[in-house]
Amino acid sequence: MEKSSVPAAVTRRHALTVTGGVLAGAALAQTAFPAFAAESQDADAIVVGHGLAGLVATAELAAAGRKVLLLDQEPEASLGGQAFWSFGGLFLVDSAEQRLMGIKDSRDLAWQDWLGTAGFDRGVGDPSGQDHWAYKWAESYVDFASGEKRSWLAGLGVQWFPVVGWAERGGGLADGHGNSVPRFHVTWGTGPAVVEPFEKKVRAAKADGKVVFKFRHRVDGLVTTGGAVTGVRGAILEPSNASRGKPSSRTEVGAFELRAPVVVVTSGGIGANHDLVRQNWPARMGTPPKSMITGVPAHVDGRMLAITERAGGRIVNPDRMWHYTEGLRNYDPIWPGHGIRILPGPSSMWFDATGKRFGTPDLPGYDTLHTLKSITGSGHDYSWFVTTQKIIAKEFALSGSEQNPDLTEKNVWMLLSRIWQTPEPIEKFKKNGADFVVATTLSELVRGMNKLTGDNLIELNDLKRQIEARDREIDNPYTKDVQVMGIRNALAYVGDSLSRTASAHKILDSSAGPLIAVRLNVLTRKTLGGLQTDLSGRVLGASGDPVPGLYAAGEVAGFGGGGVHGYRSLEGTFLGGCLFSGRQAGRAAAAATAT
């Protein structure tokens, strides 16, 4: 049994948070909803979006006895949304897995890391500030992650791979960006295993008559009556047999209007809409890349943000977003422009497009958005890893459930095979991917890099000078090279030494070869801002007051409050944000519709 390490004050704070949401919802039910005749309502609640947050909210509503309509523009094959495709990483604090690995974590350390990473600076103390509710959500979420999150999910059958990963290691200061300790818990079964318990709950509620699926129902507007949201309207799209993640038809075959006293928007972010990404791109991250690859299916288009805004919802922090710097063009794409992210260990050398080595904190796995800014500042849309076969065999992992069949299929033998061989998905990308160059000599590698891009920006002697300088730092167990320090630091953690960090060696050591260069593309992924919500998930308007009848959860709400992550993420917090905000909104909406 896992021991509890959460102080009583934290438990009380969390209880007050949940209770406050429920009471607020109940009060809203008494004062804010127009009186409808029973026959004018199609359900007690409508949930827009059948991804993870939508499934969690629907499960909570149904468990409370509410009748729910669950709408999505995609066919049934895409139930579960983006979460299905994920690696299944979850941010947990002082977990049984951490203690097994000898990691000393605490709520206070996690909160220190969250604040140093988020950088909340937009009116935290001002009820009208963009970060006011984001900060409150962040505090509640860290309480959740260090409290009941693990036991709640474990009670639903979720399990985790015992080796805890160390993502976003930060910028170098204790109170700055990054995880002080490993907190990235990979779900045994990856993303599908996170979705599964909630899909089962919703399908069981459907069998009981509590949930009705409305696939191929695209919401084009929210219906309002007397200032309250009272339903949705839109187009019925033609039936589609598109498989999960594949684009589906947008041919309209009908129209609909549905009524309910509450509407919960859980429609996701903007990652597949590159025009919207560029429109919201912040000047602090340089010029938007002309070329990007896409980490989410085409239906992640951001439409519901503007639709909800027209109904009175307030969008905050639209310039905050999370795009990865280590994207690969998928040689076997599922959706248009499909990109896969490398989850790197600490050892590959990282260069800009001209062959200039990045400095700290632009190291593999340290500070994603700082590195993104450095890439855009180089005047090019891509960068390079220069590495060895020994490094990729031990350190490279690929994002996505489909890229990790051992973990996704819970195949222990296949997982153990990583000890003595490079994982097959990595080898397939090395062989078939457009972004890999493999060579036995550095001169051959440089020719291949220049041929791949057609830019001829890499100069052999300059690249050789930088690699040899780094290689000289391997001779001693101490060094002035920050990246080499990081490698030795990683090897001091048993989880990294077992499965995520190659032994320190020289890049030009032929016994570690062949040499490998990987062109890295900017990969669109997450929306960090969105609809501002209070701790009940109620969408707030420009005045700061809740829009009656309107709730939001998941990525469309910035994973809570319109931006629970602030400027940057600690990773493993996106799925968790969907789980927590979906649960909060579902429970509060259920309380608001109590009779």
Side-chain angles (χ1 to χ4, degrees):
M1 178 180 295
E2 182 183 17
K3 70 175 183 181
S4 173
S5 63
V6 185
V10 173
T11 303
R12 287 195 297 272
R13 185 189 306 116
H14 180 74
L16 288 171
T17 294
V18 175
T19 303
V22 172
L23 291 176
L28 184 64
Q30 296 174 13
T31 61
F33 295 134
F36 293 110
E39 60 269 20
S40 70
Q41 296 184 25
D42 297 290
D44 298 313
I46 294 170
V47 177
V48 181
H50 66 200
L52 181 59
L55 288 173
V56 174
T58 300
E60 292 291 340
L61 282 156
R66 307 296 178 263
K67 181 180 178 183
V68 188
L69 301 180
L70 180 55
L71 281 62
D72 201 283
Q73 65 184 347
E74 294 307 301
E76 185 172 2
S78 287
L79 189 68
Q82 292 171 247
F84 179 91
W85 297 107
S86 74
F87 196 40
L90 291 170
F91 177 91
L92 298 173
V93 178
D94 193 24
S95 69
E97 289 76 20
Q98 286 178 302
R99 293 194 292 273
L100 179 66
M101 301 303 295
I103 300 164
K104 296 179 181 180
D105 200 5
S106 68
R107 190 267 176 196
D108 288 345
L109 183 60
W111 183 234
Q112 171 183 299
D113 289 346
W114 196 288
L115 286 179
T117 295
F120 295 120
D121 61 1
R122 295 175 175 175
V124 170
D126 179 359
S128 65
Q130 294 188 78
D131 278 340
H132 180 73
W133 287 103
Y135 182 96
K136 291 179 180 292
W137 270 94
E139 191 171 25
S140 293
Y141 181 72
V142 173
D143 291 345
F144 177 62
S146 59
E148 65 174 309
K149 180 180 179 181
R150 187 189 184 283
S151 60
W152 176 58
L153 291 171
L156 296 172
V158 180
Q159 298 176 304
W160 295 273
F161 182 58
V163 177
V164 184
W166 196 353
E168 284 296 297
R169 305 183 189 206
L173 295 177
D175 59 354
H177 168 56
N179 286 293
S180 297
V181 297
R183 297 191 178 104
F184 191 82
H185 296 65
V186 178
T187 302
W188 186 234
T190 66
V194 179
V195 172
E196 181 181 13
F198 302 99
E199 180 179 347
K200 284 183 175 178
K201 283 177 174 286
V202 172
R203 289 195 182 278
K206 175 183 180 295
D208 290 340
K210 291 291 192 297
V211 172
V212 176
F213 289 116
K214 294 283 186 180
F215 303 112
R216 306 297 284 155
H217 280 59
R218 186 189 68 204
V219 173
D220 297 325
L222 300 180
V223 177
T224 59
T225 305
V229 171
T230 55
V232 297
R233 57 175 175 78
I236 301 172
L237 306 179
E238 68 178 353
S240 172
N241 60 1
S243 57
R244 183 184 292 276
K246 291 285 188 181
S248 62
S249 165
R250 290 294 178 260
T251 300
E252 299 177 15
V253 295
F256 69 89
E257 182 168 320
L258 298 166
R259 295 266 179 163
V262 297
V263 173
V264 185
V265 178
T266 61
S267 54
I270 68 173
N273 188 337
H274 288 198
D275 290 339
L276 201 52
V277 168
R278 292 189 178 95
Q279 177 183 318
N280 290 296
W281 193 273
R284 66 180 177 275
M285 290 204 304
T287 303
K290 294 178 181 178
S291 174
M292 297 182 287
I293 56 179
T294 309
V296 293
H299 63 259
V300 186
D301 53 20
R303 293 180 68 255
M304 284 303 300
L305 281 162
I307 289 168
T308 309
E309 186 178 37
R310 288 196 293 271
R314 182 191 185 197
I315 296 173
V316 295
N317 302 311
D319 60 320
R320 293 179 182 171
M321 52 188 74
W322 188 257
H323 305 308
Y324 288 112
T325 52
E326 313 99 332
L328 302 175
R329 300 171 196 274
N330 195 340
Y331 65 89
D332 187 18
I334 296 170
W335 52 80
H338 188 176
I340 295 294
R341 183 202 174 198
I342 297 173
L343 285 73
S347 302
S348 297
M349 295 186 70
W350 205 338
F351 299 88
D352 71 13
T354 69
K356 179 182 177 182
R357 187 185 180 192
F358 288 126
T360 184
D362 302 331
L363 306 172
Y366 277 72
D367 192 332
T368 295
L369 290 195
H370 192 283
T371 308
L372 177 59
K373 180 180 178 181
S374 296
I375 292 169
T376 58
S378 75
H380 300 274
D381 296 341
Y382 66 92
S383 59
W384 290 101
F385 275 167
V386 173
T387 189
T388 66
Q389 180 68 34
K390 182 176 180 178
I391 290 171
I392 74 163
K394 187 76 172 283
E395 298 191 6
F396 275 26
L398 300 175
S399 64
S401 54
E402 81 285 7
Q403 298 298 329
N404 294 276
D406 48 359
L407 290 163
T408 301
E409 298 169 15
K410 303 180 181 181
N411 188 320
V412 175
W413 175 252
M414 192 186 303
L415 180 65
L416 289 174
S417 72
R418 294 190 184 209
I419 296 172
W420 62 82
Q421 65 182 13
T422 307
E424 184 179 9
I426 299 290
E427 282 297 322
K428 284 184 175 180
F429 262 92
K430 192 180 82 174
K431 178 181 178 181
N432 302 311
D435 297 305
F436 279 77
V437 179
V438 182
T440 55
T441 66
L442 188 60
S443 59
E444 181 187 355
L445 190 77
V446 169
R447 285 195 298 273
M449 294 165 73
N450 285 328
K451 180 179 179 181
L452 178 62
T453 63
D455 294 333
N456 292 317
L457 296 176
I458 307 297
E459 204 280 317
L460 172 61
N461 289 335
D462 189 48
L463 191 69
K464 182 180 179 182
R465 175 188 59 79
Q466 295 174 86
I467 295 173
E468 287 180 340
R470 177 265 186 203
D471 280 358
R472 293 187 189 102
E473 300 292 316
I474 297 295
D475 290 334
N476 292 290
Y478 40 83
T479 177
K480 73 175 183 181
D481 190 285
V482 173
Q483 185 176 9
V484 177
M485 290 181 196
I487 294 168
R488 300 202 188 282
N489 189 43
L491 290 169
Y493 165 50
V494 65
D496 274 355
S497 63
L498 283 173
S499 64
R500 292 290 286 142
T501 305
S503 60
H505 64 276
K506 297 182 178 184
I507 298 293
L508 297 181
D509 179 354
S510 59
S511 68
L515 290 167
I516 300 166
V518 188
R519 178 178 59 184
L520 304 173
N521 309 276
V522 175
L523 175 72
T524 63
R525 185 62 67 84
K526 297 295 181 187
T527 311
L528 298 189
L531 298 169
Q532 191 172 42
T533 59
D534 65 11
L535 289 175
S536 302
R538 297 182 297 176
V539 176
L540 306 179
S543 68
D545 296 323
V547 178
L550 184 59
Y551 294 75
E555 191 172 351
V556 75
F559 302 94
V564 68
H565 296 93
Y567 287 94
R568 304 197 264 322
S569 167
L570 287 171
E571 288 285 22
T573 55
F574 299 126
L575 293 178
C578 290
L579 292 167
F580 185 54
S581 63
R583 194 177 79 156
Q584 288 285 91
R587 290 181 178 182
T593 50
T595 55

